[in-house]
Amino acid sequence: MHNYLDFEKPISDLEGKILELKKLASEDESVNTSDEIARLEVRVRDAMAEIYSKLSPWQKTQVARHPSRPHFLDYAADLFTEFTPLAGDRQFANDDAIQAGLARFRGMPVAILGQEKGNDTKSRIKHNFGSPRPEGYRKAIRVMEMADRFGLPLITLVDTAGAYPGVGAEERGQAEAIARSTEMCLNVKVPIVTVVIGEGGSGGAIAIATGNRVYMLEHAIYSVISPEGAASILWRDSTRAKEAASNMKITAEDLKSLGIIDGIIPEPVGGAHRDPQSVISRTGTVIADALKELSRRNGDELRADRRQKYLNIGRSL
């Protein structure tokens, strides 16, 4: 059974009926339910296409946070070979919210970074629900420096609600670590290709997302603050998150129109969690095309291109 979102009730009702008919057929072979199942499956596809063709920003936020959505480790397993994870910031500790290492992408040696949220209670606690601490960003800086030293293209996969806001993280210099990670993204002389695969939340995202090319999945979100956080600040009422999401321009379509991202990667009807393999494959193709284009530029050109990209944001508004 899928984890259904609140706006997917028509889909869940139809799929529930399909399961009942399949169970009935398995229990009594004399009962033929194939025609009715086929009819209901058509209705499911139609309902899904209609619902997902007109998602609101808040509904897209829910899809971006879906617990079954593929995460960093799913992409790493399918897109990369010879992945060698690297741990620790060489100062304080290792942070499992930030995953980093060296790998091969379609035969090409690369460095990869990303946030991992986990997919069950145990793994979510281990990865701190994808919210990195300062040592995570210092680990990211270490890997970026290594990539720059050895001329390795850098691929980053973003999926975080934001950096961890706990007291310990602030005591260890959370803001400084994020700022230095962002600065390192701007300074390296290798190509950086970023894909927002779920949530791109605030500085916790931009710290590893300041790339030459930035893409988003169709139902991902990217914002300076979460809708709940914005509602709490603007109206002192987090229950108005739906209203905040509608006004914040957080969807891929909004951000593409504003020139903040370079492209949108289509998702299967029903979201990436309905067909993870296809969306991971599409993401790999987009990354490969971007790296091919960027490989024609030297290090100074890549760095200048990246800096100018972010200086240009907002100029046309």
Side-chain angles (χ1 to χ4, degrees), residues 84-90 93-96 98 100-101 135 139 142-143:
T84 303
L86 299 176
D89 65 347
R90 300 298 187 264
N94 181 50
D95 177 33
D96 283 314
I98 290 271
E135 46 270 24
K139 174 169 64 173
R142 184 168 73 87
V143 173

Side-chain angles (χ1 to χ4, degrees), residues 162-292:
Y164 183 62
V167 173
E170 297 298 336
E171 289 175 342
R172 296 194 299 278
Q174 183 74 286
E176 181 264 354
I178 289 172
R180 290 193 180 277
S181 183
T182 307
E183 179 186 37
M184 182 59 65
C185 282
L186 289 169
N187 286 337
V188 297
K189 294 185 177 182
V190 295
I192 302 179
V193 178
T194 295
V195 181
V196 182
I197 60 175
E199 287 186 270
S202 190
I206 197 68
I208 65 168
T210 312
N212 294 92
R213 296 292 178 268
V214 181
Y215 302 95
M216 287 177 66
L217 295 191
E218 181 181 358
H219 301 312
I221 60 169
Y222 195 13
S223 61
V224 70
I225 190 172
S226 69
E228 294 88 347
S232 296
I233 292 171
L234 293 174
W235 302 297
R236 299 186 183 280
D237 183 1
S238 61
T239 63
R240 296 179 69 177
K242 180 178 180 180
E243 184 179 347
S246 298
N247 289 284
M248 288 170 61
K249 306 295 183 185
I250 63 177
T251 69
E253 292 82 2
D254 290 328
L255 294 165
K256 180 68 168 63
S257 69
L258 293 170
I260 294 173
I261 65 170
D262 299 288
I264 301 171
I265 301 171
E267 295 189 26
V269 176
H273 55 281
R274 287 271 175 172
D275 188 358
Q277 294 303 316
S278 70
V279 78
I280 291 173
S281 177
R282 288 175 192 169
T283 300
T285 299
V286 169
I287 293 171
D289 291 343
L291 288 177
K292 183 178 179 180

